[in-house]
Amino acid sequence: MLLSHRQLCLILLCTTQFVALLDFSITMIPLPQIQRSLGFTPGGLQWVINAYGVAIAGFLLLGGRAADMFGRRRVFLAGVLLFTAASLLGGFSHSPAMLVATRALQGLGAAMFSPAAFSLLLAVFPEPAQRNRALGAWTAVAASGFVAGLILGGFITDLLGWRWVLWINVPVGALVLALSPALPAGKPDAAATSGPLDVWGALLVASGAAMLVFAFANSEHVGLAHPLTFGLVAAALALLALFVWVESRVAAPLMPLAVFWRRSTGGANVVSLLANTALGPTFVVVALAMQEVLGFSATRTGLGLLPMAVAFMLASAWAGPALIARCGTKPVIVGGMLLFIGGLALLGSALATLSAWSASILPGTVLAGIGYGLAFPAWTVAGIDGVPEADHGLAGGMLTTTQEVGSAVGLAVGVAVSIAVLAGGGTAAQGYSSAILVSACLVAAGLACAVAILPGKAVRREATP
């Protein structure tokens, strides 16, 4: 049976989200092989992931506003083209600097196409019931992209070598570009084009996020308690504060504060930021523990992380939307975060005496995956509820920005904590355990913010069939 026009658009848009998440996770498994091939230091290795995450985080708001100003399909195509070209070039990397640079270019491309795809999705499905189904597919595909990255990262590394985890994006990007005429043009919005593009705002938020990650990454050399670490963190927070100040004064802000200060939107973004400080570190730390402590191959490591990723995917695609329709967003976010914290606490405790995958890793990762999967679609719905259509690209960019900033900062903190434990005479397993337990504390802070900030009247959506 032939696909309808809407179905084709949904597949194309979800495919790009799949690839964006795939490329975040697909490089997690081959990190030891990349380190041996290009000579990364233990602290520098995180930039293979964080260069991508920081670039997305820093420029997603700019990408979302550019999509609203210049046309969503136009920005979408430019982002896919840049992402595909950077993937091709990154596979030929011969030094750490070249790989990190191309990963940053990939992130910039994703920062352009991801919010544009999100706003195109909302334009294709304007009716609330159909939009909810489309958002359910969007979050499910995002989760499956993460799953596929873990599995493919292992298989491709063992069969073809780590460079192919980048080259696999090239044919997918070419196919999306070939079929893109099916997408709506997404004409520029009159309200969004009333002022210039806020490039300075984008540079400030990108610089602040990058410096915050670098502060913890640099602690590998100077220590977490060194004055330089505190100075870099303070400078990063000053840049982010300056970004907020600039946004309150420019004629066409990158992030209109009126949108962010809405309790539902702002609260959802704060929760997303803190919850995601644990997601990236959990996958990376567990992947390293399985390979470095348990001696797993890349393929076996990917399969070992599969239960957590599948739990995340199933909870976000089916259980989460159904519970949102019945209970509203806030109760689902709170319940999901509680399960997420419980899973991390169980995993962190087990990693300290890592002995076997089934006893030490499986229970905590599955519980954490279910908890995160329940909360993820709930804060996504809360983050866009009531936002004007002209700002849909912005709202999508804000949610993904907090997700990527949280993951990047969380990974940097996790690596810094792990290295500090090793420097103090602890074992690798104890370092990994401490990193996960610190992540659990950050998620607990996110839970407190959800309870305090999100409006008491829950946002409800129709249940998906």
Side-chain angles (χ1 to χ4, degrees):
M1 184 172 65
L2 294 177
L3 293 172
S4 69
H5 179 259
R6 279 188 167 190
Q7 288 173 328
L8 179 59
C9 290
L10 179 63
I11 290 172
L12 283 177
L13 295 172
C14 287
T15 295
T16 58
Q17 184 70 357
F18 176 89
V19 170
L21 270 292
L22 173 94
D23 229 67
F24 184 80
S25 62
I26 200 170
T27 54
M28 292 180 177
I29 305 301
L31 285 176
Q33 292 80 3
I34 293 173
Q35 182 179 21
R36 290 191 293 267
S37 176
L38 299 182
F40 276 94
T41 66
L45 190 62
Q46 65 182 288
W47 285 101
V48 176
I49 297 172
N50 276 347
Y52 182 78
V54 167
I56 292 180
F59 293 101
L60 260 172
L61 293 176
L62 186 67
R65 182 52 75 199
D68 292 337
M69 290 181 65
F70 302 123
R72 288 153 185 169
R73 185 173 68 183
R74 182 181 300 169
V75 174
F76 173 83
L77 294 178
V80 172
L81 182 61
L82 176 60
F83 179 88
T84 305
S87 299
L88 178 64
L89 184 61
F92 291 103
S93 296
H94 53 75
S95 67
M98 182 176 178
L99 181 58
V100 169
T102 53
R103 288 286 288 164
L105 285 176
Q106 282 184 296
L108 179 59
M112 294 170 66
F113 72 66
S114 185
F118 187 81
S119 55
L120 284 170
L121 183 77
L122 299 182
V124 173
F125 298 94
E127 302 86 356
Q130 292 181 340
R131 174 175 294 182
N132 191 43
R133 295 188 184 95
L135 286 173
W138 177 269
T139 55
V141 166
S144 63
F146 204 94
V147 174
L150 296 171
I151 298 172
L152 289 175
F155 278 116
I156 291 173
T157 300
D158 282 342
L159 293 176
L160 301 172
W162 67 265
R163 297 179 188 276
W164 283 93
V165 302
L166 299 174
W167 287 334
I168 194 175
N169 296 320
V170 177
V172 177
L175 182 62
V176 170
L177 290 170
L179 297 177
S180 60
L183 297 173
K187 294 181 180 180
D189 186 87
T193 56
S194 60
L197 192 62
D198 183 15
V199 177
W200 283 111
L203 292 176
L204 282 171
V205 71
S207 300
M211 185 168 291
L212 189 60
V213 173
F214 177 74
F216 293 103
N218 188 64
S219 68
E220 173 197 8
H221 307 291
V222 300
L224 280 171
H226 195 278
L228 179 60
T229 301
F230 287 104
L232 289 171
V233 170
L237 295 178
L239 285 171
L240 295 174
L242 181 60
F243 164 72
V244 174
W245 183 82
V246 168
E247 296 306 282
S248 68
R249 283 160 174 75
V250 297
L254 186 65
M255 186 184 74
L257 297 181
V259 175
F260 183 80
W261 291 129
R262 295 177 67 257
R263 286 187 65 185
S264 182
T265 302
N269 278 275
V270 171
V271 171
S272 173
L273 175 72
L274 290 169
N276 279 288
T277 58
L279 186 65
T282 299
F283 279 100
V284 172
V285 165
V286 174
L288 289 172
M290 283 194 285
Q291 293 183 77
E292 301 296 332
V293 179
L294 296 180
F296 281 20
S297 67
T299 299
R300 195 178 176 193
T301 299
L303 293 174
L305 286 169
L306 184 59
M308 179 180 180
V310 170
F312 166 35
M313 179 177 67
L314 295 177
S316 65
W318 287 288
L323 287 172
I324 293 168
R326 178 175 298 180
C327 306
T329 53
K330 184 171 182 176
V332 176
I333 291 171
V334 171
M337 297 279 275
L338 284 170
L339 291 175
F340 191 24
I341 294 167
L344 291 173
L346 181 61
L347 176 63
S349 300
L351 284 177
T353 55
L354 185 58
S355 57
W357 171 82
S358 59
S360 301
I361 293 175
L362 179 61
T365 54
V366 169
L367 184 60
I370 293 171
Y372 182 92
L374 290 175
F376 177 51
W379 73 59
T380 300
V381 172
I384 65 169
D385 185 69
V387 175
E389 185 175 354
D391 291 322
H392 277 164
L394 168 68
M398 287 169 61
L399 283 168
T400 315
T401 295
T402 53
Q403 177 180 324
E404 297 295 342
V405 169
S407 293
V409 172
L411 179 55
V413 171
V415 171
V417 169
S418 181
I419 290 175
V421 171
L422 286 172
T427 65
Q430 290 170 336
Y432 297 144
S433 170
S434 298
I436 295 297
L437 292 176
V438 168
S439 294
C441 293
L442 293 172
V443 178
L447 172 62
C449 290
V451 172
I453 299 175
L454 291 175
K457 184 180 180 181
V459 179
R460 296 177 183 267
R461 286 291 180 266
E462 294 184 33
T464 54

